Amino acid sequence: MQRDRASAAGSDGAAAAPGALAIICGGGTFPAAVADAVAKSGRRLVMFGLRNWADAALIERYPHHWIAIGQLGRFLRLAHEEQCSEVLLIGTLMRPSLSAVRLDWRTLCLLPRIVRAFRGGDDHLLSAVARMIEAGGLRVIGVEQVAAEIMAPLGVLGSVQPTERDRSDIARALALIAAMGPFDVGQAAIVADNHVLAVEAAEGTDNMLLRIGEMRRQRRVVNAAGVGVLVKAPKPGQDRRFDLPSIGTRTVENAIAAGLAGIAVAAGSTIVADPGETIACADRARMFVVGVAAGAPQ
Amino acid sequence: MQRDRASAAGSDGAAAAPGALAIICGGGTFPAAVADAVAKSGRRLVMFGLRNWADAALIERYPHHWIAIGQLGRFLRLAHEEQCSEVLLIGTLMRPSLSAVRLDWRTLCLLPRIVRAFRGGDDHLLSAVARMIEAGGLRVIGVEQVAAEIMAPLGVLGSVQPTERDRSDIARALALIAAMGPFDVGQAAIVADNHVLAVEAAEGTDNMLLRIGEMRRQRRVVNAAGVGVLVKAPKPGQDRRFDLPSIGTRTVENAIAAGLAGIAVAAGSTIVADPGETIACADRARMFVVGVAAGAPQ
């Protein structure tokens, strides 16, 4: 994890006019789905793994560099050397503790701006980072621009249909997520038979799902299994170039364990990692997965 | 727990014009604080313990009956026999599983109305129950009308003052709780340095506090200890006759374990159970407890 091998670029000739794509990569399993989709499209990509966050096995599968949080100057230099024209920010990045941050000079100069953004919540922080990258001459783009095929489409994805009650639970959760938008809270909630069972904040979707089982044991949740929906949608006004909601097989497995009826995600703005296996997993459990229209995209 | 001893009423002569006070009592430790405060005021009270929810040790300390959820007719008959004129609904009542419900005829006749209310969320359910009790000739009142002294006052309760950052976190949490009002979600959130770390839904305040420690271990929360505030406030538009937020020593202990700076509660509409010990516990940990103005009361 510590070495900084400036791997020779993939040099498979790439596709079109735009230069290589730099992928700044945090933790989680979703970056793999994105990187693989981009690679399949034929575009040359260079991974920039965030040290301590990104999965080494994924990063080292492609031409790559390791960077630390706070090394904006180093990133920009390397990205230019690699002839990258565009940047994708992908993966989870929990709020780093200050000891994990390595500041280079450029970042240091921008620090007051970063601190202000940090206090404003995740969205502001990422938007500020994106602005600083763009000031460095690169264009920050979103997943849908390079790997639209891994975004959830509108409609039922597997073989199970949501019921009318599920539809009503979905609508309530979407409205709740929209109402919480100004507070930069999570992008997910669980609603069962019109009751809000859980709201995601810093704990993440998997932890939120796990607590449904705990609440059942405590008799705080008494809905029968097969009632209730996990709903994921971007916050209204969210910059859709980063931090999009995402689901994968683990999400489905945890939703099954929580006894839910299904999962609804905002169509066009939610990543479905490994969609084949994810949907198959849901189908086997008779759980629906549906892409829904969630407010007007920004 | 199963016997239904129709205890002779306390007959200590009571105080004034109003008849006895019926206290329908769910689970939790807060009903004890309320019952004791009412008893101290000299008013005759009759406890109606909800079977499987209420604490027998508390219920049996006073003249009492046990009732099951669904026995509205039985409650009204007993309350009239005991010459109760007013009713207080107090304590937690997690959504009961249907097998725990015992329907009497009166409740059965009202069932369609109850089911509609049930689907509307806790507030609607309790409001519907209150309407039905009032249709039965009793007046449903709130804690502040009989035990105002256990409601949090405005201002700092102990010896520790919130900082300006804490004040800002409190304001953000209050605004979030207000925004979630229409969804009948929880009455509490945790905000640290302007970030929403947790939002309470069905899990309850103690479970929400416990997950902060878990999130610290997972590095999802990296704020230093001594940053962050638990804020509890009624939902806007909430009927303040029941389900008021409440704190006690356990809340303080869990907030300490979560590494928070303090606790803010809506003044005038939050129960502080055992205020002496609760505040002493907070003072010892250098944790503030403050009553704040939370929107216009209904």
Side-chain angles (χ1 to χ4, degrees):
Chain A
M1 292 276 281
Q2 292 308 318
R3 80 213 111 114
D4 275 324
R5 196 150 42 85
S7 337
S11 70
D12 55 349
L21 177 68
I23 302 184
I24 299 181
C25 190
T29 53
F30 306 119
V34 176
D36 294 349
V38 171
K40 199 181 284 176
S41 77
R43 180 150 184 199
R44 188 166 72 84
L45 65 92
V46 183
M47 300 293 274
F48 288 85
L50 285 168
R51 210 173 267 155
N52 298 327
W53 296 104
D55 172 16
L58 162 65
I59 298 299
E60 292 169 2
R61 212 192 296 165
Y62 296 100
H64 68 276
H65 302 275
W66 286 99
I67 55 176
I69 294 164
Q71 294 186 319
L72 181 63
R74 178 176 145 79
F75 164 73
L76 289 172
R77 180 176 53 77
L78 289 167
H80 284 301
E81 281 175 19
E82 296 275 10
Q83 296 183 296
C84 297
S85 59
E86 294 179 322
V87 183
L88 197 60
L89 297 159
I90 181 86
T92 58
L93 180 62
M94 302 169 206
R95 221 152 270 286
S97 65
L98 289 181
S99 64
V101 174
R102 295 281 167 274
L103 292 178
D104 62 19
W105 278 107
R106 183 167 192 129
T107 314
L108 203 59
C109 299
L110 294 167
L111 206 56
R113 216 199 289 181
I114 295 173
V115 170
R116 269 199 308 278
F118 191 82
R119 279 191 52 88
D122 279 310
D123 268 12
H124 297 136
L125 180 61
L126 286 166
S127 297
V129 169
R131 272 195 306 276
M132 290 183 267
I133 290 174
E134 300 212 310
L138 291 152
R139 198 171 147 244
V140 177
I141 59 169
V143 171
E144 62 211 277
Q145 290 162 269
V146 285
E149 68 275 22
I150 65 165
M151 306 303 280
L154 199 60
V156 173
L157 273 68
S159 62
V160 184
Q161 301 286 329
T163 64
E164 204 165 310
R165 174 169 63 191
D166 297 329
R167 294 275 181 193
S168 152
D169 286 344
I170 292 166
R172 191 164 174 87
L174 288 174
L176 172 61
I177 292 169
M180 293 190 306
F183 300 93
D184 202 11
V185 197
Q187 308 168 307
I190 297 171
V191 175
D193 205 11
N194 215 30
H195 298 122
V196 179
L197 301 186
V199 177
E200 180 182 330
E203 72 272 31
T205 304
D206 289 319
N207 285 325
M208 177 177 62
L209 284 166
L210 291 173
R211 92 171 163 262
I212 300 295
E214 184 53 35
M215 288 197 271
R216 283 191 194 277
R217 283 184 286 280
Q218 296 177 338
R219 294 205 304 171
R220 289 176 180 274
V221 169
V222 295
N223 303 90
V227 178
V229 182
L230 165 68
V231 179
K232 296 198 75 168
K235 300 170 267 250
Q238 176 174 337
D239 187 330
R240 298 192 179 213
R241 290 175 302 171
F242 27 71
D243 196 27
L244 290 180
S246 42
I247 62 167
T249 51
R250 192 157 71 154
T251 320
V252 170
E253 285 161 6
N254 285 333
I256 294 167
L260 301 186
I263 298 173
V265 297
S269 55
T270 306
I271 296 169
V272 183
D274 198 359
E277 184 47 38
T278 298
I279 302 308
C281 179
D283 277 348
R284 281 194 298 273
R286 305 298 306 147
M287 165 166 281
F288 70 81
V289 178
V290 62
V292 293
Q298 204 194 14
Chain B
M1 293 274 282
Q2 292 307 315
R3 82 213 110 115
D4 275 326
R5 198 152 39 86
S7 338
S11 69
D12 54 349
L21 177 69
I23 303 185
I24 299 181
C25 190
T29 53
F30 306 118
V34 176
D36 294 349
V38 171
K40 199 180 284 176
S41 77
R43 180 152 184 196
R44 190 165 71 84
L45 65 91
V46 183
M47 300 293 275
F48 288 84
L50 284 169
R51 208 173 266 155
N52 298 326
W53 295 105
D55 174 15
L58 162 64
I59 297 300
E60 292 169 4
R61 213 193 294 166
Y62 295 101
H64 68 276
H65 302 275
W66 287 100
I67 55 175
I69 292 163
Q71 294 186 319
L72 181 63
R74 178 176 145 78
F75 164 72
L76 290 172
R77 179 174 55 74
L78 289 167
H80 284 301
E81 281 175 20
E82 296 274 11
Q83 297 183 294
C84 296
S85 59
E86 295 180 322
V87 182
L88 198 61
L89 296 159
I90 180 87
T92 57
L93 180 62
M94 301 168 205
R95 221 152 269 287
S97 67
L98 288 181
S99 63
V101 174
R102 295 282 167 271
L103 292 178
D104 62 18
W105 278 108
R106 184 167 189 129
T107 313
L108 203 59
C109 298
L110 295 168
L111 205 57
R113 217 200 286 181
I114 294 173
V115 170
R116 270 199 307 280
F118 190 83
R119 279 190 51 86
D122 279 310
D123 268 11
H124 296 136
L125 181 60
L126 286 166
S127 297
V129 169
R131 272 195 306 277
M132 290 183 267
I133 290 173
E134 300 213 309
L138 291 152
R139 198 170 148 246
V140 177
I141 59 169
V143 170
E144 61 210 277
Q145 290 162 270
V146 286
E149 69 275 23
I150 65 165
M151 307 302 281
L154 199 60
V156 173
L157 273 68
S159 62
V160 184
Q161 301 287 328
T163 65
E164 204 165 311
R165 174 169 63 192
D166 297 329
R167 293 274 181 196
S168 151
D169 286 343
I170 292 166
R172 191 164 174 88
L174 288 174
L176 172 60
I177 292 169
M180 293 191 306
F183 300 93
D184 203 11
V185 197
Q187 308 167 305
I190 297 171
V191 175
D193 205 10
N194 215 30
H195 297 122
V196 180
L197 301 186
V199 177
E200 180 183 331
E203 72 273 31
T205 304
D206 289 320
N207 285 326
M208 177 177 63
L209 284 166
L210 290 174
R211 94 171 161 261
I212 300 295
E214 184 54 32
M215 288 196 272
R216 282 191 194 278
R217 283 185 286 279
Q218 295 177 339
R219 292 205 303 173
R220 289 176 181 275
V221 170
V222 294
N223 302 90
V227 178
V229 182
L230 165 67
V231 179
K232 296 197 76 168
K235 299 170 268 250
Q238 177 175 337
D239 188 330
R240 298 192 180 212
R241 290 175 302 170
F242 26 71
D243 196 26
L244 290 180
S246 42
I247 62 166
T249 51
R250 192 156 70 153
T251 320
V252 170
E253 285 161 7
N254 286 333
I256 294 167
L260 301 186
I263 299 173
V265 298
S269 55
T270 306
I271 296 169
V272 183
D274 198 359
E277 185 46 40
T278 299
I279 302 308
C281 179
D283 277 348
R284 281 194 298 273
R286 305 298 306 147
M287 166 167 281
F288 70 81
V289 178
V290 62
V292 294
Q298 205 194 12

